Amino acid sequence: MGGAEDAPRAAAANGHGNGATVEEKLDELRRLLGKADGDPLRIVGVGAGAWGSVFCALMQDAYGHLRDKVQVRIWRRPGRAVDRATAEHLFEVINAREDVLRRLIRRCAYLKYVEGRLGDRTLYADEILRDGFCLNMIDTPLCPLKVVTNLQEAVWDADIVINGLPSTDTREVFGEIGRYWKERITAPIILSLAKGIEASLDPLPRIITPTQMISNATGVPLENILYLGGPNIASEIYNKEYANARICGADKWRKPLAKFLRQPHFIVWDNSDLITHEVMGGLKNVYAIGAGMVAALTNESATSKSVYFALCTSEMIYITHLLEEEPEKLAGPLLADTYVTLLKGRNAWYGQKLAKGELTLDMGDSIKGKGTIQGVSAVDAFYELLSQDSLSVMHPEANRSVAPVEMCPILKALYKILIKRELPPDSILQAIRDETMYDPRERIEMAQGHSLYRPSLLGQPKGDAKA
C-alpha cells in the first residue's frame, strides 16, 4: 500500500467535496456503514483492468494515508506473465519518470525491472501492479497498490467492492464471491464499473446488466449495488484531467458515495436510473467499433466519420426509444460517452486495427495491452434482442411489422462482420453508403412519432411506469 511518498498527492485532495476534508468525508461514510473505531473501512477492487486499477489508485491516493480508518486493496488473477516487449517498454516508462524511478529504488524494486528488460527474469501482472503498473495501461504509472491474488482473501470481509471486471467475466467471478459471502450478516456495497450487457430470450426478450448479474450471483439486494460511468478515459483521469461521472442506484447509498468519490478533478453526479444508464454504457461500445473501422478505411476522412456519426446516433436514439419511456433524458450522457469512446476508447481502437488487418477476429476479444473489447459481446446481445419478432415495430414504407433490428442497418452490418463473420470489415462502408438508406432525421422522427417503448426489455412489467 502507498506510503509517505504518496502523501503529497493525498494532501492535495484535502478540502474537496462541498467543503469537507478527506477525513471528514471518510468519517461520514464510516458512520453510515456502522464502522467501529479501530475497524477500518475495507474497499476492495475486483479486476485490474485500466479503469478498475485507476479507480482503486484514486481511492488509495485520496484516503490511503488514513491507514487506521481505511484499507484499499485490489484482486487480480495470478500467473499472468509480462512478455519481453512489454517489459522493455515498461523499463523505458520507468526511466522517463524521475519520481517513479526514485520510488522504485527506495522500495528496492528497481532491479527486477532491469532483469525483466534484459530477459533474465519473468515479470508478472500482479507483481508489477503492486508497484503501480497496470498491464493494460503501462504508460500511466499509478501509486503502489495492495494486491491480493486469492479471491476469498480479498473479498470476504469487504465493506465496498468495486467491480472492475469486464461484463463477460462478471457473472462467473461474482458467482464464486457469492459462495464466500453465504455466512455474511450484512451485505456489502458493490459499485460496478462494467459497461456491457447480456441478452436473455426466455420467457421474454430482455437485457441483463452487470449489476443484475451480481445481484443474481451473490444474493446482494439491488439497492446495495450501484453503477458508475461517464465520458472518461482512465489514464486521463489519473493524470488529473478534469472529468465527470454519474453514480446510479438507490437513494440509500448513491448520494453518500457520490460525495465520498468526488475530487476536484473528478466530479461525481448521481441519478436513480441504474439499469438504463448501464445499458447505455454498453450501447455506445457497439457503435464505437464501427466508427474505428470507418476511420481506418477512409484514411480518417472527417466527412465519412461525420456521416457514420449521424447514422449511428440515429440508431442509438431509436434503440433508446425502445428501452426508455423518456429517452430525451439520456441524450446528453449517451452522446458524451459515445464521443469520448470514439476519440480515444479501446472499442474504436479495436475497429481500426481490424480494418487495417493488424488484428483478426480469430485473436478473440481480449487484446494484449487493452483488455476485453466489450463492444463485441454487446453487438451480439443487442442484435439477438432486437431481432425478436415479439418486439416487432411497424416498417414505415413496407407497412408491415418487422423486428426492430431491421431499422438498424449499422447494427446488422456489425453483427455480420464481428459475430457471424460473413462480411469483411470494409463492408461497414457499404452499410453507410446505401442509397436506399433513410435520412437519419427520419429514423429519429419515426422513433419520436411512434410508441416504441418496450418496458419488458429492461425487465419491467408491461404497462408499469418508471419511478
Side-chain angles (χ1 to χ4, degrees):
M1 197 175 280
E5 59 212 340
D6 303 309
R9 192 174 175 110
N14 278 319
H16 62 72
N18 298 329
T21 67
V22 165
E23 189 163 10
E24 286 170 345
K25 293 199 302 177
L26 176 58
D27 287 342
E28 182 177 343
L29 187 60
R30 284 174 52 83
R31 282 194 295 272
L32 288 171
L33 285 164
K35 301 296 290 184
D37 290 346
D39 182 15
L41 176 70
R42 295 173 177 87
I43 301 173
V44 179
V46 174
W51 188 205
S53 297
V54 162
F55 193 91
C56 288
L58 290 174
M59 294 297 95
Q60 176 63 31
D61 280 335
Y63 297 104
H65 62 292
L66 301 168
R67 297 181 182 182
D68 294 336
K69 295 185 176 184
V70 66
Q71 292 179 359
V72 181
R73 58 184 184 259
I74 185 168
W75 170 83
R76 73 153 293 135
R77 293 181 177 92
R80 175 73 180 274
V82 178
D83 63 48
R84 177 76 180 274
T86 303
E88 291 175 355
H89 180 58
L90 177 54
F91 189 70
E92 293 173 1
V93 171
I94 290 169
N95 287 303
R97 287 274 302 266
E98 183 178 338
D99 58 328
V100 175
L101 182 59
R102 289 183 180 279
R103 184 180 78 194
L104 291 174
I105 291 172
R106 282 198 301 270
R107 293 165 63 93
C108 300
Y110 181 66
L111 181 59
K112 67 185 175 189
Y113 293 101
V114 176
E115 294 172 339
R117 163 66 180 82
L118 295 173
D120 295 338
R121 172 177 178 160
T122 299
L123 299 170
Y124 290 92
D126 57 289
E127 176 185 21
I128 67 173
L129 186 59
R130 290 184 175 91
D131 292 324
F133 304 108
C134 170
L135 187 59
N136 292 347
M137 200 176 58
I138 290 296
D139 290 312
T140 305
L142 309 175
C143 65
L145 291 169
K146 169 69 174 177
V147 180
V148 180
T149 55
N150 181 292
L151 184 58
Q152 183 174 8
E153 178 188 345
V155 303
W156 73 275
D157 61 348
D159 298 301
I160 299 174
V161 173
I162 311 302
N163 175 32
L165 296 164
S167 59
T168 46
D169 291 346
T170 294
R171 185 187 302 278
E172 177 187 354
V173 174
F174 275 88
E176 185 176 345
I177 289 172
R179 295 195 292 274
Y180 305 143
W181 284 349
K182 282 185 177 179
E183 306 303 320
R184 284 190 67 132
I185 298 173
T186 59
I189 299 170
I190 301 172
L191 182 60
S192 180
L193 311 177
K195 296 180 177 180
I197 68 163
E198 286 184 358
S200 174
L201 304 181
D202 185 31
L204 292 172
R206 69 184 183 94
I207 289 169
I208 301 176
T209 66
T211 59
Q212 292 170 324
M213 296 177 205
I214 291 168
S215 182
N216 292 337
T218 62
V220 172
L222 207 55
E223 71 171 11
N224 274 44
I225 307 176
L226 302 98
Y227 165 72
L228 181 82
N232 41 60
I233 301 295
S235 59
E236 294 183 354
I237 290 176
Y238 194 73
N239 288 331
K240 294 189 176 294
E241 296 286 340
Y242 180 85
N244 57 63
R246 187 171 280 104
I247 188 169
C248 304
D251 292 347
K252 181 178 180 180
W253 295 116
R254 74 172 193 271
K255 288 186 181 296
L257 283 173
K259 184 176 180 181
F260 180 73
L261 298 174
R262 191 175 296 125
Q263 299 187 19
H265 66 288
F266 185 56
I267 305 305
V268 181
W269 299 315
D270 69 277
N271 190 281
S272 62
D273 193 349
L274 168 64
I275 304 300
T276 310
H277 279 87
E278 265 190 296
V279 173
M280 294 303 103
L283 180 60
K284 54 88 180 176
N285 286 335
V286 168
Y287 292 97
I289 295 177
M293 292 177 178
V294 170
L297 292 166
T298 63
N299 197 28
E300 298 288 343
S301 162
T303 301
S304 294
K305 289 193 289 186
S306 67
V307 168
Y308 178 85
F309 189 72
L311 292 168
C312 80
T313 50
S314 73
E315 286 192 19
M316 287 192 290
I317 290 169
Y318 186 85
I319 292 170
T320 60
H321 277 75
L322 290 163
L323 300 173
E324 173 65 43
E325 194 169 19
E326 298 176 317
E328 296 80 10
K329 293 179 179 179
L330 299 171
L334 176 58
L335 288 177
D337 208 354
T338 302
Y339 181 65
V340 75
T341 302
L342 300 191
L343 286 176
K344 205 172 179 180
R346 76 181 75 174
N347 289 278
W349 173 89
Y350 179 72
Q352 286 185 322
K353 296 297 183 181
L354 280 180
K356 292 177 179 179
E358 296 173 13
L359 292 175
T360 68
L361 293 171
D362 290 335
M363 295 177 178
D365 57 4
S366 183
I367 307 299
K368 186 183 78 171
K370 290 291 182 179
T372 300
I373 309 301
Q374 298 193 107
V376 177
S377 62
V379 167
D380 193 14
F382 276 108
Y383 182 92
E384 289 295 329
L385 282 167
L386 300 182
S387 62
Q388 300 302 305
D389 291 336
S390 60
L391 301 173
S392 62
V393 297
M394 186 60 65
H395 193 288
E397 289 190 350
N399 197 29
R400 61 183 175 85
S401 293
V402 297
V405 77
E406 296 302 321
M407 309 305 297
C408 302
I410 293 177
L411 176 58
K412 287 178 65 178
L414 289 170
Y415 182 78
K416 290 178 180 178
I417 295 167
L418 298 170
I419 308 302
K420 300 297 287 184
R421 304 189 184 186
E422 297 173 349
L423 299 174
D426 61 7
S427 62
I428 192 71
L429 296 181
Q430 183 59 40
I432 69 172
R433 293 170 178 172
D434 186 349
E435 293 181 6
T436 65
M437 183 177 287
Y438 296 110
D439 181 336
R441 179 183 58 82
E442 292 179 5
R443 185 179 290 105
I444 295 171
E445 289 178 350
M446 202 185 310
Q448 294 172 336
H450 297 79
S451 180
L452 296 181
Y453 178 44
R454 301 291 190 273
S456 60
L457 275 172
L458 297 185
Q460 297 181 29
K462 190 173 181 179
D464 276 17
K466 295 189 72 168

